[in-house]
Amino acid sequence: MLSFASFVVVVITLVKPSLVLASSVQSPSTGSVTTTTYSYPRTVDPIIFNVASNATNATIATVPPTQIQGRFYFPTVADQPKGSVPLIILLPGRHAGCRQQVPIPGLGFYPFDNGPVDDQGRCPDNQTVIRSDIGFDYLGQDLAAHGYAVISMDPLTVNSLDPRPDDPFLNRARARLLFRTAEKAQEWNVNARTSMDVLGINLSGTLDFSNIGLMGHSRGGAGVRLAYNFLHPSPAFTVQEEVYNWRERLAIDIRAVMEVAPLDLPDRGTLFNVTGVPWALLAAGCEDDEVDLEYVSMLPRQALQNRQPNHFIMVYGANHGFFNSEWHLVLDTCEGDQTVTWDTNVPTFPFRFLDRTADITFTVPFVQEAPRQRAVALWAVSTFMRSYVGRNADARLARAFDPATPLPIDLLVNGTEIGRANVNLARSRLLSSGPLVNDSIFVIPPARAIQSLEERAQAALAIVAEQSHDGTKLPPDMLTPPGKRLRLAALPSSYDAVAIELSSANSEIHIPIGPGLAASSSRSGRGRGRGRCSINVDVARRDNCYWAESGNVTSTQRKTCSKPGEVMVQVQAGSSSSARIGFKSRFNIEIGPSFSTTDPASDVGFLPIAWETISLPCPPKSEVDRVNEICLVVSSDEDDAGAGSAPGNGSGPSSILYVGPIRLV
């Protein structure tokens, strides 16, 4: 992945003449909020690095100092009953600790975040300390206004440390820092003097540690996932190497976990999940850090293992950092039909990123925030926590994550496009899945190709190898030319699905489900009437047109090379039908960089698929025995003749749809 902890070279030129900065987002409020800070002295805490308190002096000497600090938000309500206020903990990710104001000719100063703090938490004289905890003020204030106590942690000291052999990304240290912070919160809750000394608030035992929600951004996402697994290990996770038994040490219950653009790499060689509580993933469509979108691969793992609700929200046009208002840099790495969330009426300047593995120049807009992006994050985080955390939680609020549910009017006015999926295979009955129907799918007019995801990946790789062998045609996030030897290091990580390359943007896709609907409805007691159950289908659209076009493709063409611009998809089963859902080709590449390998110069990956769920009511009982297929009706107002070309077995207009498992819910 890209890392911006140390910038090396900055080259500046003026591109556009005017400067317009976006205004701040305003959080809705239902009650008054007290905001305060907490800060403990920097100290050597062996627990954060899994070192026993009775370890030898030589071992403890290897432990670097850390600090517990952050911000605390509390609903200002008189006479709160004891144990009545649920707690949300927000964990920011890894970011530079120091900020330098760099002069941009003709524009003014731009804040570059370009280095860690020293072992005393200080920056050089001409730089200021960055507080990532402040970047979640908009979340903390909103959640507190809805009755939650909120801790926004500042992982500054952990972020400034070098990797450790047993914790190369320091995500276990982040999880333990979260638990050490929770222990401090327990002390505030039971000791009025401590609460007043540290916070200036007398909590008087009001916090409810049986109702905790976690949200983590970037490496903070991996941190909250690890923290949950320390208490409730998923099937693939082991805690044997932990010195401390956190389940015995902490009397807390985590009720929900949300991850925002998280790091998802193996821990101790194993990928792991959150199982047993509701989980959500908020993704950035224009990732400029986790540019391989590897974290989207968490969806199928969660779908197959977690029997609690799993929600996926894709913010098209969002970058990695603007979810935190203190993270300012944004790079142009959009690959497809996405409208960015930040102000585009600003000048830009080139920024040269240089480290041991890459030397690449990006176009940087002179903008420092994206209020539209934060507005979506505010809606998603607040809705998720209020659905599942606290004695007054209402799971019906989570219906907002169903694509069939209209978005709130303020988000519609906002204009940011949002994809939504409910990936809950563990709670569903499969009616059909890709490899089982690959040879039975019937498409009118005939499709150019129907392939498994692995077949699709290999076909796309062949096109990439042909177009990029000389290194002249590379998307900006492919940091080094792949050269002539390409290897598909990252195969599709997904559940069974098929890629259907249509010959017309107006098509019908018939997928058999056999007697499964009637049998499943009978066994489950469902299907007695319309609306008693639903059929869910995951659908996605993207093309490989960036690689398929001959010659080099400009930044603008990368976003628009797939035609038609939008197709509408409606799913039908008997007389039941879904709403018509629009699909654009948000990603015009299928093959991209793979940063989880040892040879990024030749290894590439098949980008994980960002699914959207289409839901329709089960047919009425009078029909259910006769329904033996579902039909995806694909339509477009655009003329097929202008549909462009994409890779496949033919030439001319094309649109590629991915279809996942069909399931009864």
Side-chain angles (χ1 to χ4, degrees):
M1 78 213 67
L2 295 178
S3 174
F4 304 112
S6 57
F7 295 139
V8 181
V9 180
V10 181
V11 184
I12 308 299
T13 57
L14 178 64
V15 179
K16 294 182 181 179
S18 62
L19 172 63
V20 178
L21 292 179
S23 60
S24 299
V25 68
Q26 297 296 319
S27 300
S29 176
T30 58
S32 60
V33 174
T34 298
T35 301
T36 185
T37 61
Y38 62 92
S39 182
Y40 290 84
R42 293 171 63 84
T43 185
V44 171
D45 186 351
I47 294 176
I48 291 177
F49 298 97
N50 203 36
V51 174
S53 57
N54 60 353
T56 64
N57 290 337
T59 299
I60 292 179
T62 66
V63 176
T66 53
Q67 186 172 19
I68 295 175
Q69 63 180 5
R71 292 169 72 80
F72 184 73
Y73 314 84
F74 194 72
T76 309
V77 178
D79 300 325
Q80 299 250 35
K82 290 187 180 297
S84 65
V85 182
L87 176 64
I88 307 297
I89 302 178
L90 311 175
L91 178 56
R94 179 177 182 261
H95 195 70
C98 297
R99 174 167 296 152
Q100 180 178 5
Q101 298 293 334
V102 176
I104 311 296
L107 299 180
F109 287 89
Y110 189 88
F112 276 99
D113 304 342
N114 63 346
V117 296
D118 63 18
D119 59 4
Q120 298 300 312
R122 300 171 303 196
C123 291
D125 291 341
N126 63 338
Q127 299 182 23
T128 57
V129 175
I130 302 167
R131 290 289 300 264
S132 293
D133 55 327
I134 297 175
F136 288 150
D137 268 356
Y138 72 104
L139 297 175
Q141 291 167 2
D142 177 81
L143 289 166
H146 284 96
Y148 295 92
V150 183
I151 293 173
S152 181
M153 297 172 53
D154 181 16
L156 177 68
T157 50
V158 171
N159 285 346
S160 300
L161 298 176
D162 292 329
R164 297 174 67 85
D166 63 338
D167 194 10
F169 297 100
L170 297 176
N171 292 328
R172 289 198 170 221
R174 288 180 174 86
R176 300 185 199 107
L177 180 66
L178 186 152
F179 283 157
R180 293 293 272 164
T181 301
E183 288 181 324
K184 296 298 185 185
Q186 289 177 325
E187 293 175 9
W188 307 337
N189 201 46
V190 299
N191 190 312
R193 180 166 184 173
T194 299
S195 175
M196 289 296 298
D197 288 345
V198 176
L199 301 174
I201 302 173
N202 183 359
L203 295 179
S204 300
T206 56
L207 298 185
D208 180 4
F209 287 93
S210 68
N211 272 292
I212 293 179
L214 303 181
M215 188 284 281
H217 173 218
S218 193
R219 294 196 188 186
V224 298
R225 193 180 335 129
L226 275 161
Y228 180 81
N229 275 270
F230 283 170
L231 298 178
H232 307 284
S234 62
F237 188 77
T238 177
V239 294
Q240 276 86 341
E241 297 179 21
E242 285 295 304
V243 171
Y244 299 92
N245 186 326
W246 290 104
R247 293 189 69 175
E248 293 181 357
R249 187 181 178 98
L250 284 173
I252 64 174
D253 286 320
I254 298 171
R255 299 296 184 179
V257 177
M258 186 172 198
E259 303 184 46
V260 178
L263 181 72
D264 181 39
L265 289 175
D267 178 85
R268 306 293 199 271
T270 302
L271 292 167
F272 59 96
N273 313 309
V274 170
T275 57
V277 296
W279 172 88
L281 173 62
L282 183 64
C286 292
E287 262 290 351
D288 51 2
D289 191 333
E290 311 286 341
V291 295
D292 54 1
L293 286 173
E294 184 59 34
Y295 58 74
V296 176
S297 296
M298 297 171 65
L299 288 175
R301 302 204 314 264
Q302 286 290 140
L304 292 167
Q305 295 186 21
N306 187 25
R307 297 187 61 83
Q308 295 298 314
N310 300 298
H311 303 291
F312 174 65
I313 306 101
M314 171 65 83
V315 189
Y316 293 114
N319 81 321
H320 185 82
F322 281 167
F323 294 112
N324 188 304
S325 66
E326 290 297 298
W327 296 16
H328 293 324
L329 185 68
V330 59
L331 305 176
D332 178 18
T333 57
C334 277
E335 300 289 351
D337 192 354
Q338 302 185 52
T339 301
V340 298
T341 57
W342 53 91
D343 186 358
T344 57
N345 298 312
V346 296
T348 62
F349 59 92
F351 164 71
R352 186 181 180 193
F353 175 78
L354 177 65
D355 70 2
R356 292 174 297 176
T357 62
D359 182 355
I360 188 168
T361 299
F362 293 94
T363 298
V364 178
F366 198 85
V367 66
Q368 301 176 31
E369 63 175 356
R372 290 168 50 199
Q373 180 171 327
R374 294 205 306 272
V376 178
L378 177 65
W379 163 76
V381 174
S382 180
T383 300
F384 178 73
M385 295 303 177
R386 289 187 291 123
S387 297
Y388 300 116
V389 181
R391 299 177 185 180
N392 296 321
D394 185 352
R396 293 174 297 180
L397 295 174
R399 295 174 184 170
F401 301 135
D402 186 329
T405 302
L407 289 167
I409 187 64
D410 54 339
L411 291 186
L412 293 174
V413 173
N414 175 325
T416 302
E417 294 184 295
I418 302 170
R420 294 170 286 176
N422 297 313
V423 284
N424 295 302
L425 289 183
R427 306 173 66 216
S428 310
R429 293 183 182 273
L430 284 180
L431 300 177
S432 184
S433 59
L436 301 179
V437 300
N438 198 354
D439 297 330
S440 304
I441 294 176
F442 180 62
V443 182
I444 306 173
R448 291 197 181 144
I450 302 175
Q451 301 168 304
S452 69
L453 293 192
E454 185 166 353
E455 292 170 338
R456 178 69 219 164
Q458 295 294 346
L461 176 65
I463 294 169
V464 173
E466 178 182 354
Q467 290 287 331
S468 66
H469 68 278
D470 59 358
T472 60
K473 183 172 183 178
L474 296 167
D477 47 11
M478 192 82 82
L479 298 184
T480 53
K484 295 182 179 180
R485 183 177 65 88
L486 289 184
R487 183 173 67 115
L488 193 63
L491 291 172
S493 176
S494 187
Y495 42 56
D496 293 339
V498 291
I500 304 173
E501 187 177 351
L502 302 173
S503 59
S504 170
N506 294 278
S507 300
E508 292 184 6
I509 303 171
H510 297 263
I511 304 177
I513 58 176
L517 178 60
S520 295
S521 297
S522 174
R523 284 196 302 269
S524 65
R526 297 166 174 168
R528 297 173 192 158
R530 190 186 303 270
R532 290 296 184 93
C533 67
S534 63
I535 300 170
N536 283 2
V537 185
D538 290 331
V539 178
R541 180 188 173 205
R542 69 183 186 194
D543 281 318
N544 208 35
C545 59
Y546 169 78
W547 295 103
E549 298 287 343
S550 60
N552 221 359
V553 177
T554 67
S555 175
T556 300
Q557 289 171 321
R558 287 200 317 272
K559 296 172 171 54
T560 59
C561 60
S562 180
K563 300 295 181 181
E566 184 174 38
V567 298
M568 306 300 295
V569 179
Q570 183 181 53
V571 180
Q572 300 175 349
S575 63
S576 182
S577 61
S578 72
R580 296 173 74 239
I581 306 295
F583 287 87
K584 298 179 180 179
S585 185
R586 308 293 188 176
F587 304 95
N588 285 334
I589 61 173
E590 293 179 291
I591 300 294
S594 178
F595 297 118
S596 58
T597 69
T598 57
D599 190 6
S602 62
D603 291 350
V604 292
F606 188 72
L607 262 63
I609 297 171
W611 297 104
E612 298 187 34
T613 301
I614 301 180
S615 180
L616 66 155
C618 288
K621 184 178 180 181
S622 59
E623 294 181 15
V624 73
D625 291 336
R626 301 193 303 273
V627 175
N628 55 16
E629 69 170 20
I630 69 161
C631 177
L632 278 67
V633 180
V634 184
S635 60
S636 174
D637 294 335
E638 300 179 37
D639 188 350
D640 274 349
S645 63
N649 299 331
S651 60
S654 174
S655 188
I656 302 173
L657 285 185
Y658 295 81
V659 182
I662 303 163
R663 55 197 188 271
L664 185 74
V665 179

